[in-house]
Structure formats: C-alpha cells, structure tokens
Amino acid sequence: LPSQLTGWQLASMTEAEESARCQTELAERPTLFMESLDVDKTVAQLLASEGFASIEDVAFVPLDELAAVEGFDEETAQELQTRANEFLDAKTKELDDKRRELGVADEVLEVPGVTPAIAVALGQAEIKTVEDLAGCATDDLIGYYETNKEKERVRVPGALESFNLTADDANAIIMKARVKAGWVEEEPEPQDEELAEEAEKAEDA
C-alpha cells in the first residue's frame, strides 16, 4: 500500500538475504584484520571469532578484554591496539586530505554525525558547505526507490548510500546542520520524566 500511494517501491530484506549478508561480513573480517593490522591469519580469525567487527573495535575496546582473548596476552593486546590506532590515524588523514581536495568546508565536520568518511561522500555529491547539507532532504542522503514509466523499480542513490544510515540518522544530521547554519534553534533535551513530575509538584506546591 505505501508503494502504491507514494509511487516508490520500499526496500526490504528477507531473512535469507540478511543471513547471507551477515555470512559475507563474517568471512571478510579476517582479511580486514590481516590487511589493516598486518597480522597473520590465525590472529585475524581469533579476532573475528571473538566478535570484533572493525578496526575501531580493536582500537577502543578495554585492553583487558582484548588481552582475555584465548592465545593473547597483555603485550599482544597492546601491540594490536597500537597498530589499530596507527591505521585509523592514517585513514583519517587520508580522508581529510580527500575532503579538502573536494572543497568540503571544515565546518561540515563540526556537524554532529558527520565523520571524515561521510564528509568525503558529501563532497563527491557536491554537498560542500553546512548550508548545502542543511538544504538536503532525507532522501538526498539515503536514496530511495521509485517506479519509472515502464513500471520498473529504479534505485535513486543518495549521497550517503554506502553508510547504511536509517532515515532517522540522516534526518538527525540534516537537522544538526540546520542548527549550525542558524536556520533553526536547537530543541532542548527532554527532561527526565521523574524530574518533570517533581518540577510539576513543586509548581503546584
């Protein structure tokens, strides 16, 4: 029904497709660790089997948790974290250089939710200033499906297509950009329910 009303085809993923995607990710993790951390296959497989999914996981997990992996000790864990942080630092510099080449303003990185990788993707989509980002619609960032004249489902990619953001994630980035651009005022954080009740009682008293 939503597809009929909007003319868009909503994306969905079956359990089998989701399972296949997860299996692919699991199979790719050892290779990621081998290439990024310069470790052998055994160490890479240990990290993957213990649930480490990214270089960030290795870099920021508490050292004692990493050292607790079977076959590791504190010295090994420290070396892995050192390599992980060196890799991330180099990657960040590479992305920041690319972002500057694309002409993306420094202020874009100050928008909450915008990482160096996201800033590069925005620049590639000609979204280069806070105002550019503030003027986006959610679909501009995450993409959408529409039905063409031939009744075929066609994917219209978004600037941040590869980041698997939800509509809420994308909308939050856009709203933060609008706040930074001065287009809207930031809404105050909602009060804790108990604090609100106490305040209300105090007013009544």
Side-chain angles (χ1 to χ4, degrees):
L1 180 59
S3 297
Q4 294 174 356
L5 293 174
T6 63
W8 296 353
Q9 293 293 322
L10 303 182
S12 61
M13 186 176 290
T14 66
E15 285 188 23
E17 290 172 333
E18 175 64 13
S19 176
R21 183 186 67 80
C22 290
Q23 290 299 318
T24 299
E25 288 183 356
L26 285 171
E28 291 174 348
R29 285 176 192 172
T31 300
L32 168 68
F33 295 134
M34 290 171 65
E35 294 178 349
S36 303
L37 303 179
D38 191 24
V39 296
D40 62 28
K41 189 174 182 178
T42 300
V43 172
Q45 289 178 331
L46 278 171
L47 289 170
S49 65
E50 288 293 325
F52 291 91
S54 67
I55 305 303
E56 287 80 2
D57 287 349
V58 178
F60 303 125
V61 69
L63 186 63
D64 58 344
E65 290 186 27
L66 188 56
V69 174
E70 185 177 356
F72 290 3
D73 55 23
E74 187 171 338
E75 183 178 352
T76 300
Q78 185 63 68
E79 178 62 24
L80 287 172
Q81 286 204 326
T82 297
R83 295 186 187 188
N85 279 289
E86 288 175 349
F87 173 84
L88 292 175
D89 288 345
K91 190 66 176 176
T92 296
K93 183 180 185 306
E94 178 186 334
L95 289 169
D96 202 48
D97 289 344
K98 181 64 174 177
R99 188 260 309 174
R100 293 175 186 276
E101 288 176 12
L102 290 167
V104 178
D106 294 345
E107 290 76 14
V108 173
L109 280 174
E110 297 172 6
V111 176
V114 175
T115 64
I118 285 178
V120 168
L122 291 173
Q124 291 170 335
E126 298 299 321
I127 301 170
K128 300 184 178 183
T129 67
V130 172
E131 289 75 16
D132 290 342
L133 182 55
C136 288
T138 302
D139 288 343
D140 294 331
L141 300 188
I142 64 174
Y144 57 93
Y145 285 98
E146 68 178 8
T147 302
N148 62 20
K149 294 179 180 180
E150 289 73 32
K151 304 299 181 182
E152 297 172 329
R153 191 175 77 160
V154 179
R155 178 71 183 173
V156 179
L160 305 182
E161 181 86 5
S162 63
F163 292 87
N164 296 319
L165 300 180
T166 66
D168 286 343
D169 294 335
N171 187 57
I173 291 175
I174 292 168
M175 291 308 298
K176 291 296 185 180
R178 290 174 181 174
V179 170
K180 185 164 184 58
W183 295 5
V184 297
E185 292 185 5
E186 187 166 15
E187 295 183 4
E189 292 292 328
Q191 280 186 305
D192 180 88
E193 188 175 339
E194 292 183 5
L195 292 176
E197 289 179 0
E198 290 178 7
E200 187 175 344
K201 290 177 181 178
E203 289 179 2
D204 292 341

